[in-house]
Amino acid sequence: MPVETLSIRNRSAVGRFPSVTLGFGEDTEEEKEEPEENNAEKENACRRWLRKVCPCCCPKPNDDDITDTLMTGIDEPEKEDGINGEKPGDSELDELLLKVQSIDLMKSKSGENRTEHHTDLYQSDDFIIRRGQNFQMWITLSRPFSPTNDKLHLELKTGPQPTVSKGTHVIIPLVEELEDDRWEAAVVKQDDKRIKLSVNSSPTAVIGRYQLIVETTSTHGQFVSKHNPANDIYLLFNPWCEDDTVFMDNEDERQEYVLNDVGIIYHGTQDQIAERTWNYGQFDDGILAVCLFVLEKSGTPPSGWGDPVNVVRVISAMINSFDDRGVLEGDWSGDYWGGTNPSFWSGSVEILKEYHENGGHPVKYGQCWVFAGVVTTVLRCLGIPNRTVTNYCSAHDTDVSLTTDIYLDENLEPIDNLNTDSIWNFHVWNDCWMARPDLPAGNGGWQAVDATPQETSQGTFRCGPASLTAVRNGQVYLKHDAQFVFAEVNSDKIYWQKNIDGTFSQIYSEKKTVGHYISTKAVGSDERNDITHLYKHPEGSEAERIAVETACSYGSKAEAYSPPTAEDISVEVTMDGDGPEMGKNAELDIILRNSSSEERKLILHSQVAVMYYTGVHKATVRKDTADVDLLPNEVKTVGWTLLYEDYKDQLIDQAALMLTLAGRVKETQQVLATQFSFRLRTPDITLKPIGKAVVGEKMAVEISFTNPLPRVLKAVMFHVEGLGLLPARKIHYGDIGSRASVSLTEHFVPTLPGPRKLLATLDCKQLTQVDGVTDIIVNEKINDAL
């Protein structure tokens, strides 16, 4: 007797149940013509047989455990193809099933969900919410929901292999009363066939993009809604939730470090602090998708994306292209052929979108402030409070000594091939805010993270998050990379002189040369906020010395400290005002002090070199030697001048120079040594808005600039952009003559109301680091009908 077959699945289910052979042909005419009673009898027998071999496909009515069984046993394609046993002709059963007809996530930017979750600024119609917080949704069913006879639950899936145990497959049960700190849903309103759910999410949930489906179970079977990409849920970190590890309790700080999409990045030198405005643009349309794309490109499992420590570490690695083909390729050569000069960028949006559009091909080129600006964009977009931080006189320790070592030859001149440690005029990184349950108590709060590729951390070019508290106290053994950050802000600078036998002796140390004016934009204003005290105790204080000694005891040169020598002669370099201007002579003052009651004679060696801002030597432009006599208790000022002709052909991006002084006192053999970095100031671009700024109405801006050099600027290019004003635009201007002034006019149409900033930069071979900014208040368009 032939075995009867049941067409309960379509062909997409082939292979899912290898131990059971089921037919997929249409029912024969002979079967259809049988009496109704026989059909029912056979159906019951067959369903009993199917229930025995595959209980998940043919459940017993009113089985309390059916929901749990189906949640983990059936994958989504089967649910979409009708695991509830539907087929054409089953009209009676079809009508009795509790079907999901539509889902309304109430995702309007101005609606309750988006505004209460502080995601209404995202220029996207996606459903974007924050974890650990309640949200509302409507579900329209095929018939009224019966709490007594019907069951319903939600399922969320994220990542390539959603798994319940890893938090990437979330099952949200329907309960009578909601409790905090867990995934739950409750019916709060019923309107005929519509029910309104209030849903709680876990404050430790994995962030990312979730697919949503709804499952219902009734006495007549089960129904699973099809996945609709329009109902995907984007879940972010939540600084407004006390149970989230990124919680920040100050609303002004949340507004600044999460919601502010424009900021200031500081550069220059400690004596010439300069600033540039940066468009973070974390709410720009498509940026959230790019941020999640970056996480996916990292290859890290989504199950780890619920821990901000892990996410920050991944982003630190992925923003640079070393190791993992991340977002930005670094270049400090001065030759940016095939890419964009790092100083030409004025925001992150253009960079991130280019990376995404090119399928994850690194964007050329970035330097530290660009890496840091992009990190701020990504972390704020994902919901982690973050700020861009600049450290002046920032040490780069290459040998884990926690000291900055300068090697001199027998004539007190630098030995270039040994001087691998360097002190950058400035270095830009990031602080992010989070609890650190993985560290001893008291180390939460601000954490330093650096995406600029300098040294590897666990085999990958990344740095942090390192607790600022740990750095401040010299606890460099605490993860992650506290020792490197400590050296950047508080290492001692030790000078070594080569001996005749080839060995080196420590001849001098400077204890206050590293880590000055650590700066970030102030909360709620465009002022500079000095946060040096968060990174280190006051220079020279007992607490600071203890921190240094504690840290260096874990370094590779713990024995470097030697007894102090006579120090009755001191040397200092000063500069008037804001410092020398590009295209003019540079003038400095060397101040020598004799604190003894005896005359002193010394030989002073000076050397000035063009430097990359990273402290790497490019070219020596002048050397001098001078004999200096100092009377008892005399303070002598020696003028020092560098002619434009000496440096004009050697300048690079940051127009940075370093004066190195070294000398020896004849009477006492005391060694003097110091280094002074300075930059040649560049002019600003002037931006003058023309016309009234109104959403949707055309206006213009006049861009003016004066060439400060006695030479022609070749192939000048301007770059203009402003969030809500105009997307990034490049203007090929051409040549600008010697000392010439130029102006041009650009038209644009504002798209967003409120206070906005318009930025401009200039780039050419002869001059970089030229920028400008203007504030524009955009008004809403007045309705003509009014």
Side-chain angles (χ1 to χ4, degrees), residues 579-786:
E581 297 179 18
M582 175 70 73
K584 297 182 178 180
N585 297 341
E587 297 182 352
L588 305 174
D589 288 328
I590 301 172
I591 301 175
L592 295 159
R593 289 183 174 86
N594 178 8
S595 59
S596 74
S597 57
E598 300 176 2
E599 185 178 355
R600 295 284 187 251
K601 297 179 182 292
L602 64 144
I603 300 176
L604 192 64
H605 304 269
S606 65
Q607 171 181 301
V608 64
V610 174
M611 307 292 288
Y612 294 96
Y613 81 94
T614 59
V616 175
H617 179 278
K618 179 182 184 287
T620 299
V621 295
R622 204 179 86 191
K623 292 183 178 181
D624 292 299
T625 300
D627 292 319
V628 181
D629 294 337
L630 291 174
L631 297 174
N633 298 308
E634 182 183 9
V635 177
K636 178 175 286 189
T637 299
V638 179
W640 182 91
T641 301
L642 177 67
L643 302 178
Y644 170 71
E645 294 297 321
D646 291 337
Y647 69 75
K648 67 176 183 178
D649 295 325
Q650 295 290 350
L651 286 182
I652 47 180
D653 291 345
Q654 293 287 330
L657 299 106
M658 176 180 284
L659 173 64
T660 299
L661 297 176
R664 188 183 297 277
V665 180
K666 292 181 179 179
E667 291 82 1
T668 63
Q669 299 302 299
Q670 176 191 348
V671 173
L672 301 174
T674 193
Q675 292 177 315
F676 182 81
S677 297
F678 62 100
R679 63 184 289 267
L680 301 168
R681 290 188 294 115
T682 53
D684 292 330
I685 296 173
T686 302
L687 300 174
K688 182 181 178 182
I690 302 173
K692 189 175 181 181
V694 178
V695 171
E697 295 185 5
K698 192 174 183 180
M699 66 174 295
V701 61
E702 182 183 49
I703 304 170
S704 304
F705 170 73
T706 299
N707 176 10
L709 302 181
R711 63 194 300 184
V712 175
L713 302 181
K714 299 283 189 179
V716 172
M717 183 183 295
F718 289 92
H719 179 278
V720 187
E721 74 167 301
L723 295 175
L725 297 173
L726 79 165
R729 183 182 300 173
K730 292 180 180 178
I731 305 166
H732 296 270
Y733 184 84
D735 298 347
I736 299 178
S738 167
R739 310 285 190 188
S741 297
V742 300
S743 65
L744 59 153
T745 302
E746 279 295 305
H747 294 86
F748 58 95
V749 178
T751 57
L752 293 174
R756 302 284 157 191
K757 290 183 183 290
L758 186 65
L759 318 181
T761 59
L762 175 148
D763 184 47
C764 68
K765 286 288 186 183
Q766 299 79 24
L767 187 65
T768 63
Q769 292 299 321
V770 177
D771 57 80
V773 60
T774 188
D775 292 307
I776 298 177
I777 298 178
V778 181
N779 298 303
E780 291 274 15
K781 188 171 184 178
I782 300 175
N783 194 326
D784 294 336
L786 297 178

Side-chain angles (χ1 to χ4, degrees), residues 495-510:
Y495 293 81
W496 305 82
Q497 185 179 22
K498 189 175 183 180
N499 299 317
I500 297 177
D501 61 2
T503 61
F504 285 85
S505 299
Q506 180 186 342
I507 59 171
Y508 188 68
S509 64
E510 291 181 295

Side-chain angles (χ1 to χ4, degrees), residues 205-238:
V206 168
I207 67 159
R209 178 176 181 171
Y210 285 86
Q211 296 181 356
L212 168 68
I213 60 172
V214 181
E215 296 192 14
T216 66
T217 305
S218 64
T219 56
H220 303 287
Q222 182 190 36
F223 178 87
V224 181
S225 68
K226 291 185 177 182
H227 166 237
N228 182 354
N231 288 331
D232 284 352
I233 296 176
Y234 291 79
L235 191 66
L236 309 179
F237 290 105
N238 193 351

Side-chain angles (χ1 to χ4, degrees), residues 1-7 20-28 31 34 42 45-46 49-50 53:
M1 181 177 177
V3 177
E4 292 183 350
T5 62
L6 299 174
S7 54
V20 180
T21 303
L22 299 176
F24 293 92
E26 295 293 331
D27 293 340
T28 64
E31 290 170 326
E34 290 181 357
K42 288 184 178 182
C46 289
W49 170 80
L50 182 59
V53 297

Side-chain angles (χ1 to χ4, degrees), residues 264-270 272-276 280 368-370 372-373 376 387-394 424-431 449-450 488-489 515-521 528-532 535 613 654:
I264 294 174
I265 298 178
Y266 297 93
H267 59 105
T269 70
Q270 64 170 332
Q272 299 163 286
I273 294 177
E275 63 182 51
R276 63 183 304 159
Y280 296 124
C368 70
W369 68 92
V370 187
T376 294
R387 62 191 183 190
T388 310
V389 173
T390 302
N391 177 40
Y392 291 95
C393 297
S394 185
W424 300 27
N425 287 341
F426 70 95
H427 180 41
V428 188
W429 62 70
N430 303 83
D431 283 348
V449 57
D450 193 349
E488 288 182 302
V489 301
H516 295 159
Y517 301 106
I518 303 176
S519 303
T520 191
K521 177 186 173 301
R528 184 181 68 87
N529 183 22
D530 192 309
I531 57 171
T532 308
Y535 277 87
Y613 81 94
Q654 293 287 330

